């Protein structure tokens, strides 16, 4: 019994790191939303600029282009390609192709965010609300047949490892017997302190008076520093490449933090919540769940989702960006301007008319339409730091510029032999507590791609990805070059897995400042930024993307859809409304709810 409680407590923390919790939708909210939308549609939005051509910018342009008011959308991208950090490359290895991912590689079908992404794949959004939000009969992006699901029964789903202190440790889970889980918890040094930490958690000190604290501080205070350093830090290396003693518990562990504050004990709080018939929900989740999400996904696909741990596409995650770009290019009300960096944007008020003036540089290869143009609204999906640089007056959005980002080196390796790995599973992560002599390269983790994504490559073999850097490289002026990166990755694999074979193909990519860090105080900074946006741009400038409300691809799609809803009279005025104290507070769901599926 104690072991089960211990494992459940650990699972609560890890699950909250990966996905937003399961939500339900309220039928009463739907009528309120429809009424608000009908009022909003009286105020036509004709010209909207979207800054940034990454996945958030593409999804935002897509959602806005489908508004019933049929606005014209101009998408600005400073570089020659769209897709941002989504970089999927098909590599010819001699007798066929393999897919290398140098950015995100798979997505969790969590509820509701993961289903929002799958709905984007399987059906269009934002048709007139008085009829229905979704039309489940149309596969708008044409990607439904390209989705690859990894089953919850697969070796990749059931075997996930951490490396501590000098060997792989398989995480306890449903794929292992009770005896195996028991042996792991009591014999592996990685779990030292877990059982006494869980048993004493209800009697630990309550949350401090401070508005926020670090994830490391929160977990150490509730369960002990060993669990924070040996387990939780590894998980955060895999998601944020960040330091748990810098990252914000309030902004990342949202529901966990809320429950611990409400009940003083996390374990007692979750037990109490599990017995209630009126679960905690947020208003934005209610909005996103309205309009038939489950119907839009479809019962057959939904059943596959229930049995899956992660999903991707046959040609890689980049297929999603390619499909969105293709659909947008076919829309006569969408203009895409590549190689067109933005130099400045400012609010212009003349008589009774207010617009945002966008000044774009005429870079080499840019469209002749680049220059100075005015829009009724602008949605920025570029980083907060970049937006503050171009927004006028100078530093009017300074709170957005204060969030740091980390740099990650991604090394893809392909071996023609299918039996290179000594174990099989999703891969392994390295916690902050691993001795330096076991990780001098400062690796964050290794993904066993050939196990995690079966059916993507044309030829058999072993495909691995080594990720290095992150917060370990903070403050560095120079980084390893491609040859050095390949050498370091092979050294990691040799030391940890005993792989000494020479790979047939290696690709190295340095992703500079690719993952924003929601450090302590992030919510307070976003609240200030929200007010700055209102003061300087009167709600005509909105923001979305991984700098603000979630770093994952599913989070970005969610943010894009909320921006689309804001043009239909929803509550989002700046994209940061959820950061306003009391605005996105948790509330009790009414008992007459339409129950959705359980999330992962």
């Amino acid at each position: 019994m104690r072991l089960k409680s211990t494992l459940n407590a650990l699972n609560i923390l890890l699950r909250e790191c990966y996905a937003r919790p399961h939500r339900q939708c309220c039928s009463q909210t739907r009528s309120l939303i429809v009424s608000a939308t009908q009022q909003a549609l009286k105020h036509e939005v004709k010209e909207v600029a979207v800054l940034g051509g990454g996945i958030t910018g593409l999804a935002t342009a897509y959602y806005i282009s489908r508004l019933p008011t049929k606005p014209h959308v101009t998408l600005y991208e400073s570089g020659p390609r769209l897709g941002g950090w989504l970089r999927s490359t098909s590599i010819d290895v001699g007798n066929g192709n393999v897919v290398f991912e140098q950015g995100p590689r798979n997505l969790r079908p969590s509820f509701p965010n993961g289903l929002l992404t799958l709905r984007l794949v399987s059906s269009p959004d934002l048709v007139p609300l008085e009829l229905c939000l979704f039309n489940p009969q149309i596969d708008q992006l044409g990607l439904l047949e390209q989705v690859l699901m990894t089953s919850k029964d697969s070796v990749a789903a059931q075997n996930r490892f951490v490396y501590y202190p000098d060997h792989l440790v398989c995480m306890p889970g449903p794929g292992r017997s009770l005896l195996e889980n028991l042996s792991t918890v009591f014999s592996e040094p990685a779990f030292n302190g877990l059982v006494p930490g869980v048993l004493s958690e209800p009697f630990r000190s309550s949350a401090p008076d401070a508005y926020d604290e670090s994830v490391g501080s929160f977990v150490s205070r509730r369960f002990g520093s060993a669990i924070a350093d040996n387990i939780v830090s590894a998980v955060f290396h895999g998601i944020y490449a960040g330091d748990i003693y810098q990252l914000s518990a309030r902004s990342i562990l949202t529901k966990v933090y809320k429950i611990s504050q409400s009940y003083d004990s996390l374990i007692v709080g979750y037990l109490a919540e599990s017995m209630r018939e009126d679960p905690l929900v947020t208003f934005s989740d209610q909005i996103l769940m309205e309009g038939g999400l489950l119907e839009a996904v479809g019962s057959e696909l939904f059943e596959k989702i229930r049995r899956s741990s992660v999903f991707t596409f046959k040609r890689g995650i980049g297929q999603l960006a390619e499909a969105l770009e293709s659909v947008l290019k076919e829309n006569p009300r969408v203009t895409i301007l590549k190689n067109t960096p933005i130099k400045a944007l400012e609010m212009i008020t003349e008589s009774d008319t207010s617009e945002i003036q966008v000044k774009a540089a005429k870079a080499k290869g840019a469209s002749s339409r680049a220059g100075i143009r005015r829009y009724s609204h602008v949605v920025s999906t570029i980083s907060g730091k970049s937006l503050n640089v171009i927004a006028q007056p100078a530093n009017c959005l300074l709170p957005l510029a204060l969030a740091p980002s980390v740099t990650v080196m991604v090394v893809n390796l392909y071996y023609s032999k299918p039996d290179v790995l000594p174990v099989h599973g999703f891969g392994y992560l390295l916690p902050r507590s691993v001795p330096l002599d076991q990780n001098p390269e400062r690796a964050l983790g290794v993904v066993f791609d050939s196990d995690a994504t079966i059916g993507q490559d044309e030829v058999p073999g072993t495909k691995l990805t080594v990720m290095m850097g992150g917060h370990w490289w903070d403050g560095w002026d120079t980084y390893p070059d491609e040859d050095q990166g390949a050498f370091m990755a092979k050294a990691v694999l040799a030391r940890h897995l005993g792989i000494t074979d020479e790979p047939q193909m290696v690709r190295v990519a340095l992703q500079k400042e690719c993952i924003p860090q929601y450090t302590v105080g992030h919510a307070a900074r976003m609240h200030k930024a929200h007010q700055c946006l209102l003061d300087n741009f009167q709600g005509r400038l909105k923001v979305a993307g991984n700098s603000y409300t979630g770093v994952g691809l599913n989070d970005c799609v969610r943010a894009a859809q909320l921006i689309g809803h804001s043009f239909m009279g929803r509550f989002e005025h700046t994209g940061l409304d959820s950061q306003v104290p009391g605005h996105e507070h948790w509330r009790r769901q009414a008992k007459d709810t339409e129950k959705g599926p359980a999330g992962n």
Side-chain angles (χ1 to χ4, degrees):
M1 184 65 181
R2 288 185 175 182
L3 174 63
K4 185 175 181 181
S5 299
T6 298
L7 298 180
N8 286 341
L10 181 62
N11 184 54
I12 287 170
L13 280 171
L14 302 186
R15 185 175 65 238
E16 181 68 13
C17 297
Y18 282 111
R20 281 178 172 260
H22 158 55
R23 311 281 190 234
Q24 297 171 314
C25 59
C26 175
S27 57
Q28 182 181 9
T29 306
R30 177 176 295 136
S31 61
L32 297 175
I33 292 173
V34 171
S35 175
T37 301
Q38 291 171 339
Q39 293 295 320
L41 294 181
K42 297 178 181 178
H43 305 286
E44 189 173 3
V45 179
K46 293 183 178 180
E47 289 281 342
V48 180
V50 176
L51 312 184
I55 186 59
T56 312
L58 288 166
T60 300
Y62 172 76
Y63 287 131
I64 295 175
S65 71
R66 299 192 61 82
L67 287 169
T69 53
K70 298 181 179 180
H72 184 273
V73 180
T74 302
L75 176 64
Y76 290 90
E77 167 54 43
S78 62
R81 60 175 289 275
L82 301 180
W85 299 114
L86 275 63
R87 297 175 182 268
S88 305
T89 306
S90 183
I91 304 293
D92 185 356
V93 294
N95 55 340
N97 291 341
V98 297
V99 175
F100 280 169
E101 297 279 17
Q102 296 180 329
R105 65 198 58 252
N106 48 55
L107 306 171
R108 291 176 64 84
S110 55
F111 197 81
N113 289 10
L115 277 102
L116 292 175
T117 302
L118 282 166
R119 186 188 61 205
L120 177 63
V121 170
S122 62
S123 64
D125 271 14
L126 301 177
V127 297
L129 253 174
E130 58 267 36
L131 299 177
C132 179
L133 267 175
F134 318 113
N135 183 344
Q137 304 303 317
I138 303 174
D139 179 7
Q140 180 67 24
L141 296 185
L143 286 182
L144 202 53
E145 296 301 319
Q146 297 295 311
V147 174
L148 288 176
M149 299 280 187
T150 298
S151 169
K152 290 180 179 178
D153 296 327
S154 68
V155 66
Q158 297 194 1
N159 290 347
R160 294 170 182 261
F161 301 89
V162 295
Y163 186 89
Y164 181 85
D166 58 1
H167 60 276
L168 294 181
V169 179
C170 189
M171 295 290 289
R176 311 179 75 213
S177 69
L178 177 63
L179 184 60
E180 289 175 317
N181 285 330
L182 182 64
S183 175
T184 297
V185 168
F186 285 101
S187 65
E188 287 291 348
F191 295 99
N192 284 349
L194 176 61
V195 173
V198 169
L199 294 178
S200 62
E201 192 274 341
F203 310 101
R204 299 282 182 113
S205 61
S206 59
D209 294 334
Y211 180 75
D212 197 0
E213 65 179 311
S214 73
V215 171
S217 169
F218 173 76
V219 176
S220 296
R221 182 167 54 81
R222 301 246 52 96
F223 297 100
S225 60
I227 297 306
D229 293 342
N230 299 341
I231 302 298
V232 177
S233 70
V235 174
F236 277 76
H237 279 168
I239 303 172
Y240 297 91
D243 180 359
I244 60 171
Y245 290 96
Q246 299 293 324
L247 294 170
S248 163
R250 188 181 192 90
S251 294
I252 297 174
L253 300 176
T254 51
K255 189 172 184 180
V256 166
Y257 202 67
K258 167 64 178 175
I259 289 178
S260 71
Q261 288 183 316
S262 300
Y263 291 90
D264 288 335
S265 165
L266 179 60
I267 293 176
V268 171
Y270 262 90
L271 288 174
E273 287 295 320
S274 67
M275 293 184 288
R276 296 190 63 131
E277 296 182 10
D278 53 345
L280 287 168
V281 297
T282 63
F283 184 51
S284 64
D285 279 332
Q286 287 182 340
I287 286 177
L288 292 171
M289 289 305 303
E290 297 302 330
L293 171 61
L294 302 182
E295 293 85 347
V297 171
S299 59
E300 183 178 349
L301 177 59
F302 177 64
E303 284 305 311
K304 292 181 180 179
I305 293 170
R306 289 177 67 95
R307 299 192 298 268
S308 302
S309 61
V310 295
F311 69 95
T312 184
F313 302 96
K314 292 180 180 179
R315 298 205 315 272
I317 291 291
Q319 265 193 277
L320 179 57
E322 294 171 0
L324 282 167
E325 179 178 2
S326 177
V327 169
L328 291 174
K329 284 181 175 179
E330 294 173 358
N331 191 329
R333 291 181 285 104
V334 176
T335 300
I336 299 176
L337 301 178
K338 298 179 184 180
N339 296 304
T340 309
I342 305 300
K343 297 179 65 176
L345 60 89
E346 62 180 315
M347 191 76 176
I348 303 294
T349 301
E350 296 176 349
S351 299
D352 295 332
T353 303
S354 294
E355 296 178 304
I356 297 181
Q357 179 172 282
V358 176
K359 184 178 182 181
K362 293 184 178 180
K364 183 178 180 181
S367 166
S368 60
R369 297 189 63 179
I372 298 177
R373 297 187 64 188
R374 293 184 181 181
Y375 300 89
S376 61
H377 294 82
V378 174
V379 180
S380 174
T381 67
I382 61 179
S383 71
K385 184 183 298 184
S386 298
L387 179 57
N388 180 62
V389 170
I390 63 176
Q392 301 297 321
N395 288 322
C396 65
L397 301 178
L398 184 60
L400 292 180
L402 302 179
S405 295
V406 295
T407 295
V408 176
M409 176 167 278
V410 179
V411 183
N412 307 109
L413 306 98
Y414 170 76
Y415 301 81
S416 58
K417 295 181 179 179
D419 56 351
V420 170
L421 286 169
V423 295
H424 291 278
F426 191 87
Y428 67 94
L429 298 169
L430 290 98
R432 69 191 311 271
S433 51
V434 169
L436 181 61
D437 63 349
Q438 288 294 317
N439 189 24
E441 298 82 9
R442 291 307 193 186
L444 301 164
V446 176
V447 180
F448 303 165
D449 294 297
S450 47
D451 287 345
T453 312
I454 297 175
Q456 196 173 62
D457 302 322
E458 297 177 353
V459 293
T462 302
K463 186 171 65 173
L464 308 174
T465 299
V466 180
M467 297 163 290
M468 299 178 288
H471 73 97
W472 293 123
W473 290 0
D474 285 350
W476 287 28
D477 296 324
T478 59
Y479 301 99
D481 59 26
E482 290 190 11
D483 289 339
Q484 292 170 329
F487 178 83
M488 293 163 65
K490 288 186 284 187
V492 168
L493 297 177
R495 184 183 311 109
H496 296 169
L497 301 176
I499 298 176
T500 56
D501 292 8
E502 190 66 21
Q504 184 175 336
M505 182 67 65
V506 180
R507 285 294 176 94
V508 180
L510 184 68
Q511 313 288 25
K512 291 186 177 181
E513 298 187 354
C514 60
I515 306 179
Q517 301 293 285
Y518 298 174
T519 54
V520 174
H522 177 79
R525 291 190 294 271
M526 293 302 101
H527 176 207
K528 292 180 181 177
H530 165 79
Q531 195 59 51
C532 290
L533 287 166
L534 292 178
D535 292 343
N536 292 282
F537 295 93
Q538 302 171 21
R540 294 183 178 273
L541 173 61
K542 306 172 188 289
V543 298
N546 65 358
S547 287
Y548 313 111
T549 56
V551 302
L553 190 152
N554 287 339
D555 299 316
C556 292
V557 171
R558 171 195 176 94
Q561 186 172 12
L562 282 173
I563 290 295
H565 286 313
S566 74
F567 287 103
M568 299 195 300
R570 304 301 177 82
F571 74 99
E572 292 280 346
H573 297 96
T574 67
L576 301 177
D577 302 69
S578 63
Q579 307 299 318
V580 178
H583 186 96
E584 180 74 331
H585 60 81
W586 297 87
R587 62 197 68 192
R588 290 294 171 186
Q589 179 65 65
K591 292 185 179 181
D592 60 338
T593 56
E594 300 175 20
K595 293 187 178 181
N600 289 305

